Amino acid sequence: LADVVVATPPWGLRDFGPDVDVHDPRWAFGRPSPRSDGIWLQHTIAHLADGGRAFVVTPRGELDRSGPPHALRQELLRQGAIEAVITLPARLFSPYTAIETALWVLARPGQTVDKDGVLLIDVPTGGESETSVDGFSGVLAEYEHWRTSAGAGDMPYSVVVPVRDLLDPNIGLDPATRIRRRDAPSPEE
């Protein structure tokens, strides 16, 4: 078991072998689906020591996919294994791929900073400005603030969302969607 697991697994790998044992303890959140990159999320959590964290990069689409990926996200949320989701700038992995990506911060079930909330951060693409994240140092500072105080700062690119809201069957984990909802005018406004 490890205190930290960092993974950028092979996205889109669809052949896990003919003998995926559904009783393997790594699949505590549901049976692996060959149509999902979520198998890597489960695999990294299974290798975490108590108090450890896993940082896994997946395609951004994994935040909103329906079917088995949705069921996996729901179970990860229910068991308190998702601490944060950070969408990364477009073309971060260029020239190798233009796929938009997301970084998942995971913990063993029930060991996240706040079992009732998930930190969502949207790293904008482009130059630095007062409303952008000062590169990755701003993201790191926001995550550190979350880890030490279980609260998000007043950054325009991050939001803490209650797990109960993320369990809505029509909602994914994309931070940009949640930030737009937070910043939308209320009916009174």
Side-chain angles (χ1 to χ4, degrees):
L1 299 178
D3 291 329
V4 176
V5 176
V6 178
T8 304
W11 306 323
L13 181 65
R14 300 294 184 235
D15 184 13
F16 304 128
D19 300 319
V20 173
D21 180 5
V22 295
H23 303 293
D24 187 317
R26 289 178 294 175
W27 318 137
F29 303 98
R31 182 183 177 156
S33 167
R35 310 288 283 154
S36 170
D37 289 298
I39 190 169
W40 304 110
L41 303 176
Q42 294 195 73
H43 185 69
T44 58
I45 292 170
H47 288 84
L48 286 177
D50 284 341
R53 293 294 181 271
F55 301 86
V56 183
V57 177
T58 66
R60 190 171 181 162
E62 198 66 27
L63 301 174
D64 294 316
R65 285 193 180 104
S66 60
H70 173 75
L72 173 63
R73 284 191 313 272
Q74 296 286 297
E75 195 57 31
L76 288 167
L77 287 165
R78 276 188 201 95
Q79 292 192 36
I82 301 174
E83 184 165 89
V85 174
I86 303 166
T87 51
L88 301 172
R91 307 184 79 57
L92 183 66
F93 290 94
S94 287
Y96 306 105
T97 183
I99 294 174
E100 292 186 2
T101 55
L103 175 66
W104 300 67
V105 183
L106 307 165
R108 293 185 75 64
Q111 295 185 8
T112 57
V113 168
D114 179 358
K115 64 181 179 64
D116 296 322
V118 175
L119 175 64
L120 302 178
I121 301 175
D122 182 35
V123 180
T125 301
E128 299 189 6
S129 70
E130 290 181 17
T131 59
S132 80
V133 257
D134 297 333
F136 287 104
S137 61
V139 171
L140 179 58
E142 185 70 359
Y143 178 68
E144 286 176 345
H145 179 70
W146 171 245
R147 286 292 307 265
T148 58
S149 69
D154 56 356
M155 303 298 182
Y157 53 82
S158 68
V159 63
V160 175
V161 180
V163 169
R164 68 179 177 279
D165 292 352
L166 294 171
L167 290 172
D168 182 326
N170 300 317
I171 301 297
L173 285 177
D174 193 321
T177 302
R178 287 301 178 161
I179 292 168
R180 278 194 303 274
R181 283 183 178 200
R182 177 197 65 194
D183 296 342
S186 68
E188 295 83 28
E189 292 174 318

